Amino acid sequence: MIIFSGDFDKAMAALTLANGAAGNGMEVKIFFTFWGINLLRRKIIYSNQPLENLFKLMMPISPERIGLSKMNFLGIGPWLMKKLIRQKDGQTAMDLFQMAQERNVQFIACEASLKLLGIQPEELIEYHNLEIAGVDKFLENATQSQISLFI
Amino acid sequence: MIIFSGDFDKAMAALTLANGAAGNGMEVKIFFTFWGINLLRRKIIYSNQPLENLFKLMMPISPERIGLSKMNFLGIGPWLMKKLIRQKDGQTAMDLFQMAQERNVQFIACEASLKLLGIQPEELIEYHNLEIAGVDKFLENATQSQISLFI
Amino acid sequence: MIIFSGDFDKAMAALTLANGAAGNGMEVKIFFTFWGINLLRRKIIYSNQPLENLFKLMMPISPERIGLSKMNFLGIGPWLMKKLIRQKDGQTAMDLFQMAQERNVQFIACEASLKLLGIQPEELIEYHNLEIAGVDKFLENATQSQISLFI
């Protein structure tokens, strides 16, 4: 059980753990909250609230776009990092993100975060194992799971 | 059991989890460490140590003042975020912080952090369920609790 | 069981917890991943891959060099923090790092991170209880441990 809230590098860590666990037959759930929601975003549907739209516009969409928590250098860091990953035939955050879906890791989008940022379900990726739920759902899962990490 | 070390957005997550858990009748303890201590600060009592005072002055006081871990933009980010929250009639970090106290969530201030930053108990908020304790206390609690998150 | 990915202040927290737990006779393992690897680095052996070398060069080496997650101010923050710690006769990240080794805390370097960043075992500190392992090893440990934190 992983609760995730953000960066490229942390997404790598969270998804690597999730895929490893799923690969070992563990049931894995990732609870995407706050900035983490951006990984699940597919497109922008603008609302009539300028402030909401500003955030939607400024926030990165999909694992392709998110920045590094460190050494981001206005996006150069992540770009170099992806270049390095490709040199090593390693997996980018996007590869890991897709593998997680292949391994049927459950994605839970934090309801409060969606509401706050004004993101509609239609703006999220299409994935059969994507659920929208609140903090109670997280707590219910967390109390039942062996490992819970806030990444 | 939550150990918390800092940002506006993470404070939102930590407090939302804490309030949700407390609302479900769970016993919740938040261990405030390092930057997290700033949420508990009420006022500044300057000491005769200039360096200590510099930190006290530079660090934000109360959940009203802390910044975002991302998109902070010299404080504009948090300001817009608060504006957005109000537009939605949502709860600010301060609302959640007060609710946590209403729900009697235990606050534990990390002794080492206080000592390091030279913060005296008098500089912290007045809350009957606020305790000052060290790492041993945290470990004792963590080993007994169902969920422990470092946020 | 701690999984660690980075900053000076978080290193302080992680190492303080680890030392406290080890001091209480708990078996402690720190899994260093991504930026966290930098704490274990001792020297740079340049490869023939410029990009790899660029990262090696840009990333800090040892707990002495890493920055603060907040108020870093191009390195002034950590310098002031270390100054403050010394004023208090407190322990710097380096002190805590060495104490962890004295208390025989197990260090595990994330294999994937090493591979990605092109860091060779020879570039890491010499410590009998330092192991290089992958995510499966982490999951195996985490499922068996009382507390798992991602710091």
Side-chain angles (χ1 to χ4, degrees):
Chain A
M1 183 64 188
I2 296 160
I3 181 163
F4 171 64
S5 62
D7 303 296
F8 177 89
D9 43 348
K10 292 188 172 180
M12 299 279 291
L15 292 165
T16 303
L17 284 170
N19 292 338
N24 295 350
M26 293 170 73
E27 190 193 358
V28 187
K29 297 173 186 217
I30 306 181
F31 193 86
F32 294 83
T33 178
F34 227 80
W35 309 121
I37 291 288
N38 292 324
L39 270 79
L40 300 175
R41 288 169 70 210
R42 181 169 51 90
K43 62 176 181 183
I44 298 182
I45 299 171
Y46 288 105
S47 70
N48 53 8
Q49 293 190 293
L51 187 53
E52 202 172 86
N53 293 336
L54 178 63
F55 269 97
K56 282 188 186 185
L57 193 64
M58 288 191 318
M59 295 187 305
I61 291 186
S62 97
E64 277 306 314
R65 300 267 158 66
I66 51 178
L68 288 167
S69 68
K70 257 180 274 313
M71 309 210 306
N72 197 41
F73 303 132
L74 307 166
I76 299 165
W79 177 78
L80 288 176
M81 183 59 72
K82 279 174 210 152
K83 214 160 169 312
L84 187 59
I85 291 167
R86 289 204 197 83
Q87 276 184 11
K88 310 261 174 168
D89 312 313
Q91 295 171 303
T92 63
M94 195 59 179
D95 297 330
L96 294 166
F97 188 65
Q98 277 151 359
M99 182 189 276
Q101 292 173 53
E102 285 153 20
R103 295 192 174 177
N104 204 30
V105 169
Q106 186 179 12
F107 291 169
I108 304 169
C110 169
E111 202 167 16
S113 306
L114 289 175
K115 184 161 170 288
L116 172 62
L117 300 167
I119 294 165
Q120 301 154 48
E122 296 69 38
E123 294 179 72
L124 302 182
I125 56 164
E126 277 152 2
Y127 172 42
H128 72 282
N129 207 354
L130 169 62
E131 192 186 340
I132 294 171
V135 65
D136 290 351
K137 177 82 177 181
F138 165 74
L139 291 165
E140 183 196 318
N141 284 316
T143 46
Q144 288 162 15
S145 62
Q146 275 179 293
I147 317 172
S148 293
L149 300 172
F150 187 100
I151 298 184
Chain B
M1 184 63 189
I2 295 161
I3 179 163
F4 170 66
S5 62
D7 304 295
F8 177 89
D9 42 348
K10 292 188 170 180
M12 299 278 291
L15 292 165
T16 303
L17 285 170
N19 292 338
N24 295 349
M26 293 169 74
E27 189 192 358
V28 187
K29 298 175 185 215
I30 305 182
F31 192 87
F32 294 82
T33 178
F34 227 80
W35 309 121
I37 291 288
N38 292 325
L39 270 79
L40 300 175
R41 289 168 69 209
R42 182 169 52 89
K43 62 177 181 184
I44 298 181
I45 300 171
Y46 288 105
S47 71
N48 54 7
Q49 294 189 291
L51 187 54
E52 202 172 87
N53 294 336
L54 178 63
F55 269 98
K56 283 188 184 185
L57 193 65
M58 290 190 319
M59 295 188 304
I61 291 185
S62 98
E64 277 305 313
R65 299 267 156 65
I66 51 179
L68 287 167
S69 67
K70 257 181 273 314
M71 310 211 304
N72 196 41
F73 303 131
L74 307 166
I76 299 165
W79 179 77
L80 288 175
M81 181 60 72
K82 277 173 212 152
K83 216 161 168 309
L84 187 60
I85 291 167
R86 288 207 197 81
Q87 275 184 14
K88 310 262 172 167
D89 312 313
Q91 295 171 302
T92 63
M94 196 58 178
D95 298 330
L96 293 166
F97 187 66
Q98 276 152 359
M99 183 189 277
Q101 293 173 54
E102 285 153 18
R103 295 193 174 178
N104 205 30
V105 168
Q106 186 178 11
F107 291 170
I108 304 170
C110 170
E111 202 166 15
S113 306
L114 289 175
K115 186 160 168 289
L116 172 62
L117 300 168
I119 295 165
Q120 301 155 46
E122 296 71 38
E123 293 179 75
L124 303 182
I125 57 165
E126 276 152 3
Y127 173 41
H128 72 284
N129 207 354
L130 169 61
E131 191 187 340
I132 294 171
V135 64
D136 290 352
K137 178 81 176 181
F138 165 75
L139 291 164
E140 182 195 318
N141 284 315
T143 46
Q144 287 162 15
S145 62
Q146 275 179 293
I147 316 173
S148 293
L149 300 172
F150 187 101
I151 298 184
Chain C
M1 182 63 189
I2 296 161
I3 179 165
F4 170 65
S5 62
D7 302 296
F8 177 88
D9 42 347
K10 292 188 169 180
M12 300 277 291
L15 291 165
T16 303
L17 284 170
N19 292 338
N24 295 349
M26 293 170 73
E27 189 192 358
V28 186
K29 297 174 186 216
I30 305 182
F31 192 87
F32 295 82
T33 177
F34 226 81
W35 309 121
I37 291 287
N38 292 325
L39 270 80
L40 300 175
R41 288 168 71 209
R42 180 168 53 90
K43 61 178 181 181
I44 298 181
I45 299 171
Y46 288 106
S47 71
N48 54 8
Q49 293 190 294
L51 187 53
E52 204 171 85
N53 294 337
L54 178 63
F55 269 98
K56 283 189 186 184
L57 193 64
M58 289 190 319
M59 294 188 303
I61 291 187
S62 97
E64 277 305 312
R65 300 269 158 65
I66 52 178
L68 287 167
S69 68
K70 257 180 275 311
M71 310 211 303
N72 196 40
F73 302 131
L74 306 166
I76 299 165
W79 179 77
L80 288 176
M81 181 60 69
K82 279 174 211 153
K83 214 161 168 312
L84 187 60
I85 292 168
R86 290 206 197 81
Q87 276 185 10
K88 310 264 174 163
D89 313 313
Q91 294 171 303
T92 63
M94 196 59 179
D95 298 329
L96 293 166
F97 188 66
Q98 276 151 0
M99 183 190 279
Q101 293 173 54
E102 285 153 19
R103 294 193 175 178
N104 205 30
V105 169
Q106 187 179 11
F107 290 170
I108 304 169
C110 170
E111 201 167 16
S113 306
L114 289 175
K115 187 161 168 287
L116 173 62
L117 300 168
I119 294 165
Q120 300 154 47
E122 296 70 37
E123 294 179 74
L124 303 182
I125 56 164
E126 276 152 3
Y127 172 42
H128 74 282
N129 207 354
L130 169 62
E131 192 187 340
I132 294 171
V135 64
D136 290 353
K137 177 82 176 181
F138 165 74
L139 291 165
E140 182 195 320
N141 285 316
T143 47
Q144 288 162 14
S145 63
Q146 276 180 293
I147 316 172
S148 293
L149 300 173
F150 187 101
I151 299 184

